[in-house]
Amino acid sequence: MIAVEQLTKSYLDHRVLHGIDHTQRRGEAVVLIGPSGCGKSTFLRCLNQLETPDSGRVTIAGITIDPGAPRHELTTLQRQLRLRAGMVFQNFNLFPHLTAIQNIMEAPRVVKGMAKPEAEALARDLLAKVGLSAKASSHPAQLSGGQQQRIAIARALAMKPEVMLFDEPTSALDPELRDEVLRVMRQLAEEGMTMIVVTHEMQFAREFADRVIFFDAGLVAEEGPPDQIFTCPKEERTRAFLSKVLTR
């Protein structure tokens, strides 16, 4: 489902990703943990092609991106890949002038050319899925942060992606509102959605993930089942990181 080969990314003279390899089967939920600035978010953005890697290959749901491909081919492949990989960000990025249901309908109508009645039916189904049917006519300013993030998840799901990428989706939320969003994410995992989640929610990572990957300085320092990573990590750097975050 996902295959990443020797992915690198630099900003000027600063190397952010140092040849990342990653494979992931369909339906697997993977959580990325690690200190701020270690490359987790950049890795997600390279997967979704919001950032163009310097080198390396990314394959998601049968679409392979190689930065060395001709520009016209690369643009077409990037568009195809983004249709298969939905992404949810730390900031909700909803259109403030559109209602909740209009935010969800927008991409299917504009990108896929879906008819309005079909897009509206899809949006109502997704609002029900994230527990916000009653908020269809509300604008983002009328919604809590947790509600806005759930709308953002529904908006990503409206494109019917095969993979969902979450970049610290709860970091801007209060604890009670975080639980609303995490509940939706758990439901998606139970339904078999292939997911990669960047988070600092260690308890959620332990309960949710099929596999945990510890990033450090642009490298995969350690990976394994949650129980192994959180109870007996093999690497000293992993132990040092967890000892700090688990005692906060």
Side-chain angles (χ1 to χ4, degrees):
M1 170 56 75
I2 300 175
V4 180
E5 305 167 58
Q6 288 297 295
L7 192 71
T8 68
K9 178 65 180 178
S10 298
Y11 297 106
L12 299 177
D13 294 331
H14 177 52
R15 177 65 64 88
V16 181
L17 300 176
H18 298 265
I20 303 294
D21 291 315
H22 172 71
T23 58
Q24 187 169 338
R25 68 181 186 276
R26 183 180 297 275
E28 187 179 18
V30 170
V31 170
L32 308 184
I33 64 172
S36 298
C38 68
K40 306 183 301 295
S41 294
T42 300
F43 177 67
L44 281 197
R45 293 175 69 86
C46 285
L47 292 186
N48 195 250
Q49 297 297 296
L50 294 174
E51 298 281 357
T52 301
D54 298 328
S55 62
R57 290 160 57 93
V58 174
T59 300
I60 295 179
I63 302 298
T64 298
I65 303 287
D66 187 331
R71 185 64 197 174
H72 67 282
E73 290 182 14
L74 188 60
T75 300
T76 299
L77 289 169
Q78 286 173 331
R79 182 177 183 277
Q80 292 175 349
L81 185 141
R82 290 185 189 122
L83 290 174
R84 290 162 172 79
M87 190 158 180
V88 177
F89 302 89
Q90 176 179 345
N91 297 316
F92 321 124
N93 298 320
L94 299 177
F95 295 115
H97 63 292
L98 300 181
T99 63
I101 194 168
Q102 289 169 339
N103 265 282
I104 299 170
M105 292 170 59
E106 185 74 3
R109 293 199 68 199
V110 173
V111 178
K112 289 190 170 182
M114 189 178 290
K116 183 177 179 180
E118 184 182 358
E120 183 174 346
L122 172 63
R124 291 195 183 279
D125 286 345
L126 290 170
L127 282 167
K129 186 182 188 71
V130 299
L132 291 173
S133 294
K135 299 295 184 180
S137 299
S138 299
H139 284 81
Q142 299 170 307
L143 301 172
S144 70
Q147 290 169 337
Q148 290 185 63
Q149 191 62 293
R150 284 186 280 161
I151 296 298
I153 293 173
R155 180 181 59 182
L157 292 173
M159 296 301 287
K160 300 183 178 179
E162 297 185 50
V163 172
M164 284 288 286
L165 309 173
F166 293 87
D167 188 7
E168 299 192 30
T170 62
S171 63
L173 303 177
D174 294 332
E176 184 177 351
L177 302 180
R178 287 202 298 266
D179 290 343
E180 298 175 357
V181 175
L182 296 177
R183 187 160 49 247
V184 172
M185 294 170 64
R186 286 189 179 95
Q187 179 185 344
L188 291 176
E190 290 169 0
E191 293 171 355
M193 175 64 74
T194 307
M195 303 165 69
I196 303 180
V197 181
V198 171
T199 186
H200 291 288
E201 303 275 353
M202 294 299 115
Q203 186 61 36
F204 172 72
R206 188 166 190 168
E207 296 173 354
F208 165 85
D210 295 309
R211 181 161 40 118
V212 174
I213 297 177
F214 174 60
F215 261 63
D216 186 43
L219 293 166
V220 174
E222 185 169 356
E223 63 180 295
D227 283 348
Q228 175 197 313
I229 296 297
F230 286 102
T231 61
C232 52
K234 299 176 181 178
E235 300 297 326
E236 175 58 34
R237 184 67 188 90
T238 313
R239 290 194 291 271
F241 170 76
L242 291 174
S243 70
K244 291 180 181 179
V245 299
L246 294 178
T247 55
R248 287 176 184 170

